[in-house]
Amino acid sequence: MSRVLTVGAAQMGPIQLADTRPEVVERLVALLSSGAAAGCDLVVFPELTLTTFFPRWWVDDLSDADHFYETEMPGPDTRPLFDAAKRLGVGFHLGYAELTSDGHRYNTAILVERDGSIVGRYRKVHLPGHSEYEPWRAFQHLERYYFEAGDGFAVHGAFGGVVGMAICNDRRWPETYRVLGLQGCELALIGYNTPIHYAPDPAQDRLQGFHNHLVLQSGAYQNGMWVVGVAKAGEEEGCALLGESAIVAPSGEIAARCTTDGDELAVAEVDLDLCAKYTGTLFDFDRYRRPEVYGRITAQRGPEVPAEVRADLAASVESGTEPGEDGQ
Ligand code: CDT
């Protein structure tokens, strides 16, 4: 079986509050059809694809936001996308807000095979932002209010390879790619909604595009995997969202990218056998990794300056010498 897939990064332009689910699904089906015309096996949609990015607003009662969540997948509104996938023989990845029958809320993505069957589901692990209303912000980022965190990164045997998923903020954490890489992941699919304005440090605003490609490219290279990063972009309810969707090769090179802030498909030939060029050489994990010295990565969450270093630091501040200076 061929290990070369044609993959489409289906960037979405903004989705406004007034846009209905059927209207959004129509746009998704149009992108899926463009993917089919381009020979795609798999089309990747962004995080929270079906609605506007609602965590930018506070509601006193969470149930007032229930209409943003899906209680079944496929449901009546999303069924046409699954039907189109089966008809066209094109699989897809889709992010959406999930409300389970027992009342749990997750920021979720699913992977759907070319026959329309769901082969995997992922619930976002790294939830950014805050959980309380913060009036000083121009807009809220309340993912920690609207969602519970998922419990891990899994991979799936699909599309002839080992496929993993992550969502938006997950892409900034090296642990995401490494935990996937340690399961042999060859293709990581990552949707995102990234506001260009970062309220806690607006100096980072101008760097959003750079940081996006930086993490996608380093994650791909350091783990010898393909990474598909897909945005919901443009001016959404007065909030500018980053575009810059990209398909990144295991070399870290960008194989295809979007150039607009609207609905756009970027397509690349994804040779899964390229991964072994990296995971079998420089990043041969089994040969070169040293897990016995990485204990801190799972043993602690935040940085802990060792007590003896803190003592040295205090002494150096007192004496006016820099830490590590030995008088020579
Ligand atoms: N959706 C999402 O995870 N967005 C975050 C914004 C972080 S700023 C609160 C991101 O990492 O792009």
Side-chain angles (χ1 to χ4, degrees), residues 27-189:
R27 284 165 62 187
L28 301 180
V29 170
L31 281 163
L32 198 76
S33 303
S34 302
C40 287
D41 300 286
L42 170 64
V43 164
V44 182
F45 296 113
E47 173 193 36
L48 299 178
T49 311
L50 297 170
T51 62
T52 198
F53 190 76
F54 61 90
R56 73 169 66 92
W57 295 292
W58 172 262
V59 289
D60 286 330
D61 186 339
L62 263 184
S63 65
D64 287 342
D66 280 359
H67 57 288
F68 289 120
Y69 294 79
E70 307 303 310
T71 54
E72 53 181 333
M73 189 56 71
D77 290 334
T78 46
R79 169 65 68 189
L81 182 62
F82 285 74
D83 292 345
K86 192 172 175 183
R87 186 177 68 250
L88 299 167
V90 181
F92 66 90
H93 163 277
L94 177 77
Y96 62 97
E98 176 191 8
L99 175 55
T100 67
S101 53
D102 53 353
H104 295 280
R105 295 163 194 271
Y106 300 101
N107 187 338
T108 296
I110 47 167
L111 179 63
V112 175
E113 257 289 7
R114 291 159 280 204
D115 62 357
S117 63
I118 296 177
V119 291
R121 186 187 61 202
Y122 166 73
R123 291 167 172 161
K124 187 172 182 178
V125 164
H126 298 99
L127 295 175
H130 46 111
S131 53
E132 305 284 342
Y133 180 64
E134 295 187 359
W136 59 273
R137 293 173 184 263
F139 51 85
Q140 306 293 298
H141 197 108
L142 288 158
E143 286 196 60
R144 299 172 76 86
Y145 177 59
Y146 283 108
F147 303 116
E148 293 172 48
D151 61 3
F153 298 99
V155 292
H156 308 278
F159 299 91
V162 182
V163 185
M165 293 180 274
I167 299 179
C168 194
N169 190 258
D170 290 326
R171 77 194 190 286
R172 302 188 192 272
W173 299 92
E175 293 87 348
T176 297
Y177 306 92
R178 185 50 51 93
V179 171
L180 288 174
L182 285 168
Q183 297 172 83
C185 182
E186 297 171 302
L187 175 62
L189 313 176

